[in-house]
Amino acid sequence: MGNGQVPKATVPGEDCPYAGRTTIRRVSLPLSVLRLTRLAFLLLLSGLTLCFLPSPPAYAREWPEMDFELSSTFTYLHFTDEHPLCTDHLTNEAVFEMKASGLLPKEDWHYVLGIITTANASTSFFSSCAVQELVFNTVINTGEEDYLCEVGKEDWEWGKSFSRTPTYPLPEGYFWGAQWTKTKERQHVIVGAATSTDQSLKKQAAPVGISSKPGALTAWLRTGRFLTASDYEFVFSYQSHPQDALTPACYNLGFDTSRDFLNGLAMHGSLNLRYTQETKEESPTTQVDCLIGGEYTFGAKVIVCEVLHQSGSADTSLIWAVNNYSAFLATWQWGVESLWNLSDGGRYYKLLLEYTALDRFIPSLEVFFFTGSEKRKISASPVDLLVTLELRAVL
Amino acid sequence: MKRKPKLMPCPIAKLLSLFLLSFSLLPLCSSLSLGKVEPIFPYLSDQAVLGLAVEGAEQTVTPYLWAGFDLDYEKRAYKVGGRIDLHLNLTRNHAQTWLDLNYGYWPSHEVAGYPFHHGWAGSLHWKDRTTSFQATIFTGEISAGRSGGSTVHALYPEAVKVTHLHLNYNRLLYQDWKKTVYFHMAITSGQPNGSDQTFTTTTWTLPIQSGSFRWKTRAGYSDFCNRIVPCFDLADLVRGYDNKVKTGDRFFAITMEKLFQPFPYSDLPLASLLQITAFADAAGLLQIGEAPRDLKFHHSVGAGLLLELGLFDLRLEGVVTEEGHQQILLYLDTFFPGPAEF
């Protein structure tokens, strides 16, 4: 789970009134597509295998670096007493990831290819196999200026917020796009564009305030400067009309800043003005999202506190967390975090415990409690307890 | 998951003839540099095949042929294929990788409740000092089969054409003086051919040995579709129960065992390998539609003799279930995920 993210529960079961109300829309693909996907998966595995046969082709100068990761997760869901027809539930999901990275023959370009496939009650390893990440990047140095070009599918997220950065217009996930970065001394200019036509993979949907719909084209321009112990950045972004969607195009103008007081305390803030164009159904609107937060590090422990306000939904959230994530060599990693919706009293608590002493094998336990008067604003489900036991094996 | 027979069938004539055949083929193959011939012992991995494995001389592609007889389901089994050694550039060195492609009719428990696999299988194997990993794509027919001459009780007993991916992960988590901890995870996910519905089975196994005490924790989960309904059998989890007394799509099981060595310093052959065992099994199975709160445990206790034979243990046990049902068991077993390839 991402930091501060609320997982949206799937509620299967025939006798449950919430059956089928999942955050993931299931679309029955035609059989031909499934067959093609299966064939593509087989061809991919065969191709990868043939690439590494004992007699390498002469043109291959360097083999890619390969990584495999397998994770298996058991999740227990308990429903609130207000929904007596929903019994407690157990689910299981397996995720298999393959990643290859290396240099293209000219060695100017570096590439990363990540393939992910998920098996659960609704998808198999074949039907869900997809490219999660495919990035080509290169750095061009021209004396005082550096240029970084990135093309492909990746997570374009920026910001230093623990929960989410209001100036980032896309939902969490990996999207096809391109980005060009120019850095000169301490200043930078970044221009990028991405499309959200593809579904986001692995990462959960963002909990609040993201209006990007499938089909939207998002473009951004960021410029800022690093100072001695602080930085600032202006962000302008535009989201186009997604086809067949009611969401109108919108413009965002935002500002991010952070400052490290060099005594363990660091603060950050973010402000975003969102202007939505007029449509036949709705008049133009302006929405203000702002976030202010800070973190204090002492020893290996970190305390984080953030307040996020969204004028559109009239929600104000307080996020706080305590963890030891900065203890990289710790045997155990633990974290406690909570999100309180100050507007309606809904809140959740999350406990995370991870055993990190085993090489390339990480068991973890995550517990979510959803409480408060209007839980649905946070969890969007009748779940009040969610326990996740995950085993992650890296090969 | 391996099946424990009430009393292991012992077709002595078949066993002797197979061993004679293997020993006669061994020098022949060696003299002609044709490779090697090895016997396949039943119950060492997740199947009960007694047979022979003939492997060609090692080269870029090493061919092999396995043939045998399944003692549980009383069927002939075979597998013919080839193995290719690979040289992957992984971030961690000292790993051995190979590719295996085969065709055959071979029992497997990749899909719980469907032990018969007839078709093509291609697998990628990865192995280092502490970890082994196997990814297998299978396409062909799977069926519940017949056990001991009678049709296995299954919702859909007929063979179904499927394509599935099986991932098998085995890891030595900890090893010290008389202390060993393993972890084994097996995941299978696939679809019946011509259908967009999916099925999945997952099992976790955590065997721990500390001195003479053994503890094994297991958990399993399966998702079903219209034509494939994977199911776990209580007989595979708690000794003393008959096959198909209770099946379910989720389970949690614990096995505890204490070993006593009666003759640790004896000079008599095999006496120092003999152990007395006392054990208790407990498992809860959830049937389709049941909630976790409905979990009820079944248990049994027993005692017996165990002969440590290196790769496996030969066990003779008396067991009594909570209902008072008694059984005598004789079988081969491996407590940790075994090194047996067959």
Side-chain angles (χ1 to χ4, degrees), chain B residues 14 49 67-71 73-78 105-107 116:
Chain B
K14 283 176 187 165
V49 173
F69 188 78
D70 189 290
L71 302 175
Y73 294 93
E74 299 177 10
K75 285 204 169 231
R76 282 187 291 273
Y78 70 94
Y105 185 74
W106 199 258
F116 285 100

Side-chain angles (χ1 to χ4, degrees), chain A residues 18-128:
Chain A
Y18 293 89
R21 280 196 193 180
T22 66
T23 55
I24 301 164
R25 184 185 296 273
R26 281 194 63 197
V27 179
S28 298
L29 293 172
L31 285 178
S32 56
V33 176
L34 283 174
R35 284 197 199 101
L36 280 175
T37 311
R38 197 177 300 160
L39 181 65
F41 184 66
L42 287 169
L43 286 174
L44 183 72
L45 276 187
S46 314
L48 282 174
T49 303
L50 288 172
C51 274
F52 306 113
L53 279 176
S55 306
Y59 59 81
R61 298 176 61 185
E62 187 178 341
W63 299 116
E65 200 167 84
M66 301 282 293
D67 279 300
F68 297 88
E69 186 174 315
L70 173 65
S71 70
S72 176
T73 309
F74 276 97
T75 304
Y76 171 77
L77 302 159
H78 186 269
F79 297 89
T80 59
D81 296 335
E82 297 163 15
H83 303 88
L85 289 178
C86 294
T87 56
D88 52 340
H89 200 77
L90 191 67
T91 64
N92 178 260
E93 183 176 80
V95 178
F96 185 49
E97 291 178 70
M98 297 164 275
K99 189 171 272 191
S101 61
L103 294 170
L104 291 178
K106 281 194 168 185
E107 295 193 5
D108 293 333
W109 285 81
H110 178 258
Y111 68 88
V112 178
L113 168 64
I115 294 168
I116 187 168
T117 179
T118 305
N120 54 31
S122 56
T123 62
S124 75
F125 282 130
F126 296 109
S127 62
S128 67

Side-chain angles (χ1 to χ4, degrees), chain A residues 52 92 125 359-360 391 395, chain B residues 88 91-92 171 183 189 202:
Chain A
F52 306 113
N92 178 260
F125 282 130
D359 182 33
R360 294 178 286 135
L391 293 177
L395 297 169
Chain B
L88 284 173
T91 46
R92 283 152 292 278
R171 169 76 190 265
F183 177 75
S189 169
T202 302

